[in-house]
Amino acid sequence: MNSLSSLAFSSLFTALAAAALAPAAHAQPTRATTTKTLGVDGVVVLPTGDYASAVDLAFGALARVEVPVGSFTVTGRGGAIFNLFEGDSSGSLTFLPFYAGVKVPLAQTGIYFAAEAGVTIAYASVDTDVGSGSETETKLGATIGAGLRLGSIDVRGGLFMPDVQDLVGLMGSAGFDFASF
């Protein structure tokens, strides 16, 4: 990965985290949510391995639902993640992850561990001098990581595996709960 994409990743993640944390500067850590919530997460992915051989950076948004069950929370997230190819590419790659998972709080610190699994729909298209083409595949995907909940703000980091057999990236997300019921 070149220094420009490293700078872009650092700047984007810092801005995303600062914007998400600003309203919660005085919020107290909370344990697992006690009400059902709906939220949205902004995500940034730094590809690694084979994934990084073609993609510099990925970003997107995920809708999130959380339902408390005893001492943990069942989660669902789905949305779109757009990939930025290296160099001059006339193609595109979009991941549409739809995952269910669990968040387990660490006492009452606001810190939690999370794991999700589900399907990732990958849509790729390319335009060349000899024509264009596209393809859609559905793969088993997953995330695993840890996060911090401050009031209605949720910040998480970990691994993003849009295809658990082949692709891995480092994912950071910052989100906000916009509804409780």
Side-chain angles (χ1 to χ4, degrees):
M1 183 168 72
N2 62 38
S3 61
L4 181 58
S5 56
S6 294
L7 177 62
F9 174 75
S10 300
S11 299
L12 186 58
F13 186 73
T14 301
L16 185 63
L21 290 175
H26 300 290
Q28 296 297 315
T30 58
R31 49 185 224 107
T33 57
T34 56
T35 61
K36 299 171 188 165
T37 59
L38 295 175
V40 64
D41 297 334
V43 299
V44 177
V45 178
L46 180 62
T48 62
D50 289 343
Y51 186 15
S53 65
V55 175
D56 277 335
L57 186 68
F59 63 94
L62 302 174
R64 175 175 32 88
V65 62
E66 297 184 353
V67 178
V69 177
S71 62
F72 61 92
T73 302
V74 174
T75 64
R77 294 199 302 174
I81 299 176
F82 305 95
N83 293 270
L84 301 175
F85 284 107
E86 291 183 351
D88 288 335
S89 175
S90 59
S92 68
L93 175 61
T94 303
F95 291 134
L96 304 172
F98 297 98
Y99 298 164
V102 65
K103 288 170 58 173
V104 180
L106 180 64
Q108 293 187 10
T109 62
I111 297 171
Y112 64 85
F113 299 99
E116 301 167 312
V119 298
T120 303
I121 301 168
Y123 176 75
S125 67
V126 65
D127 292 318
T128 69
D129 293 337
V130 294
S132 62
S134 64
E135 184 174 347
T136 302
E137 289 188 350
T138 302
K139 299 288 186 174
L140 175 64
T143 68
I144 188 166
L148 176 64
R149 188 168 207 33
L150 296 169
S152 61
I153 302 298
D154 194 320
V155 180
R156 184 187 308 195
L159 296 178
F160 170 58
M161 297 163 277
D163 177 354
V164 296
Q165 294 181 337
D166 194 31
L167 304 176
V168 177
L170 302 175
M171 176 188 265
S173 68
F176 181 77
D177 296 341
F178 59 82
S180 296
F181 52 97

